[in-house]
């Protein structure tokens, strides 16, 4: 049995997220498992690095699976892509050590949140950006964005029903980029709580829209979800890269 | 009655092109007419600058219509967008002289053809680019592309069943741009024959793929459709701008 690591890109618009679910076959994990099981003629279980939510996209999701490979590993992407739906693509496959686990071995992740701020939407970007019609003051966002950097208790920035052992995470880097006509907020960290990126973005956008005065450090210290901003929509979010 | 000029953006993926048809309601013209007729409570006829084909997109299609406006003209885009499907957006509306006709008054058009040349497709771009898996020699294309510039008989570069009075057109500008990970071929001209842009692109791609030796000037002189390249797929093509 070989341990195979794959890198996957997907448009999450029409899926109920990454993770396999009982009530629907429309999950990315399920689609990839179905194809691998067909290829392998035996059930294959695929483990992903991150459980992206419904509507969230990926440029570089990573997953791994154990398989008796009958074809050269470099040919796996083509074989998979010939069976996968158009909105999921396997970009790379490589043999890795038996100890490799896409989720447990991950040392960090990079997310991108794409914003379109103008008076009309874009038909080409509509599924991949969050369109805001009111003018956002991005200069104001730029001034405060680095307050998120470093190691903090991010309790205020996680959805209330999540259960994790520790709410402490380290954000290595958070930047605002102008990518005309879009604005990108890119966040790299060692790990993220449930909805953490989307709540950080929602909070920053409320600052840019002059809807909040409370300072980021105060919100972090409060550990109170009610003090932070709204959860920005899933469709603006893309998992860019997983680090090992 | 006011004469209103609108600028429209659309994702042509799910439409049978711009022009109203008897057997389907899935045309851009029909969708806009339906919305305007609802707004106006009387039938409105919309005239477009160019009849984009099934699957072809637009960033700046122009159309005009005559209407007794009950709302300020600047509010027409918002009113229209609230009724139009997500893949059609009215970006602008303005009152113009009664003599203005979007098609007859047009002095030129700019098209963009988007190419993705790599070993795997892109889930985000798949409907808007033509993906070519074999390596294309773009340096070779760049060397010959300007042979299309100027006034020529473009008979060899039109689909055979088209009926126009004269096959002579002027290409003011044709350029190859690197827009990583894409390559764009942008063409500006006074007018275009049926499928002309897509056949020009198909011919250039065959040159870049080392599939043809015949020189562009020879093909132009031949006036023979058989001598030119294939018709590149509709989904890579976008109508960028109409000039007046």
């Amino acid at each position: 049995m070989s341990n195979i690591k794959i890198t996957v890109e997907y448009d999450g618009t029409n899926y109920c997220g990454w993770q396999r679910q009982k009530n629907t076959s429309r999950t990315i994990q399920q689609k990839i498992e179905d194809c691998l099981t067909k290829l392998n003629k035996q059930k294959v279980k695929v483990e992903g690095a991150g459980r992206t939510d419904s509507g969230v996209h990926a440029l570089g999701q990573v997953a791994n699976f154990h398989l008796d490979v009958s074809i050269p590993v470099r040919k796996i992407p083509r074989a998979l892509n010939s069976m996968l739906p158009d909105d999921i693509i396997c970009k790379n496959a490589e043999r890795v050590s038996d100890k490799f686990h896409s989720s447990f071995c991950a040392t960090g992740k990079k997310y991108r949140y794409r914003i379109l701020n103008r008076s009309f939407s874009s038909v080409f970007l509509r599924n991949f950006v969050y369109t805001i019609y009111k003018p956002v003051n991005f200069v104001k966002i730029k001034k405060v964005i680095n307050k998120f950097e470093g190691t903090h208790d991010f309790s205020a920035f996680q959805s209330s029903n999540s259960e994790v052992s520790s709410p402490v995470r380290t954000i290595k880097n958070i930047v605002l980029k102008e990518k005309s006509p879009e604005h990108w907020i890119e966040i790299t960290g060692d790990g993220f709580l449930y909805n953490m990126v989307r709540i950080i973005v929602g909070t920053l956008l409320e600052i840019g829209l002059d809807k909040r005065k409370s300072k980021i450090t105060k919100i972090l210290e409060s550990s109170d979800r009610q003090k932070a901003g709204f959860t920005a929509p899933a469709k603006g979010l893309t998992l860019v890269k997983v680090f090992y």
Side-chain angles (χ1 to χ4, degrees), chain A:
Chain A
M1 294 278 268
S2 301
N3 190 9
I4 312 286
K5 174 190 173 194
I6 56 171
T7 307
V8 185
E9 175 177 310
Y10 48 82
D11 168 356
T13 309
N14 296 316
Y15 293 92
C16 305
W18 168 266
Q19 202 186 10
R20 202 190 310 111
Q21 285 173 35
K22 273 185 185 149
N23 308 318
T24 174
S25 66
R26 294 213 61 78
T27 67
I28 325 284
Q29 189 181 25
Q30 181 83 63
K31 293 289 173 200
I32 297 173
E33 283 185 348
D34 288 353
C35 292
L36 284 170
T37 300
K38 255 187 224 168
L39 267 179
N40 192 47
K41 289 169 190 105
Q42 261 199 350
K43 209 160 167 55
V44 181
K45 221 183 142 190
V46 174
E47 296 293 339
R51 299 176 178 179
T52 55
D53 275 338
S54 181
V56 173
H57 318 288
L59 268 167
Q61 169 76 290
V62 173
N64 75 299
F65 50 86
H66 296 267
L67 193 75
D68 269 325
V69 265
S70 53
I71 56 168
V73 175
R74 65 182 165 78
K75 288 195 174 170
I76 289 178
R78 192 169 290 186
L80 263 179
N81 291 336
S82 70
M83 302 164 81
L84 282 167
D86 272 1
D87 44 12
I88 306 175
I89 292 173
C90 174
K91 294 162 88 171
N92 188 54
E94 56 188 304
R95 196 181 302 247
V96 285
S97 126
D98 280 350
K99 287 177 186 162
F100 178 84
H101 185 287
S102 61
S103 174
F104 303 146
C105 300
T107 57
K109 282 186 196 117
K110 178 180 177 176
Y111 281 96
R112 176 179 299 152
Y113 198 92
R114 299 168 63 179
I115 299 152
L116 184 66
N117 185 223
R118 64 181 189 193
S119 59
F120 56 93
S121 177
S122 156
V123 297
F124 305 107
L125 304 173
R126 76 202 134 102
N127 290 327
F128 313 122
V129 299
Y130 172 35
T131 305
I132 307 172
Y133 301 100
K134 284 184 191 168
V136 175
N137 186 340
F138 285 102
V139 176
K140 225 169 158 183
I141 293 178
K142 208 158 197 165
K143 269 185 189 158
V144 299
I145 197 166
N146 64 1
K147 300 284 183 207
F148 284 108
E149 281 182 2
T151 305
H152 305 283
D153 175 338
F154 280 98
S155 297
F157 295 89
Q158 73 174 327
S159 282
S160 42
N161 56 352
S162 57
E163 286 169 34
V164 284
S165 50
S166 162
V168 175
R169 294 290 182 277
T170 300
I171 291 186
K172 290 174 193 161
N173 190 255
I174 174 166
V175 281
L176 174 73
K177 289 184 180 173
E178 260 196 76
K179 290 276 176 177
S180 177
E182 301 173 42
H183 282 84
W184 292 356
I185 291 173
E186 292 190 333
I187 311 187
T188 305
D190 62 349
F192 294 89
L193 303 170
Y194 187 51
N195 280 345
M196 182 170 143
V197 176
R198 289 165 57 190
I199 300 169
I200 288 175
V201 170
T203 306
L204 286 169
L205 285 173
E206 287 180 5
I207 290 169
L209 287 162
D210 273 331
K211 280 189 183 169
R212 69 164 45 240
K213 291 265 151 67
S214 44
K215 294 201 167 153
I216 290 163
T217 41
K218 291 262 185 224
I219 308 171
L220 282 165
E221 281 163 16
S222 77
S223 295
D224 180 1
R225 172 69 188 89
Q226 300 302 316
K227 295 272 197 292
F230 78 113
T231 306
K235 66 178 183 175
L237 187 62
T238 303
L239 169 58
V240 176
K241 199 174 173 169
V242 185
F243 299 97
Y244 293 97

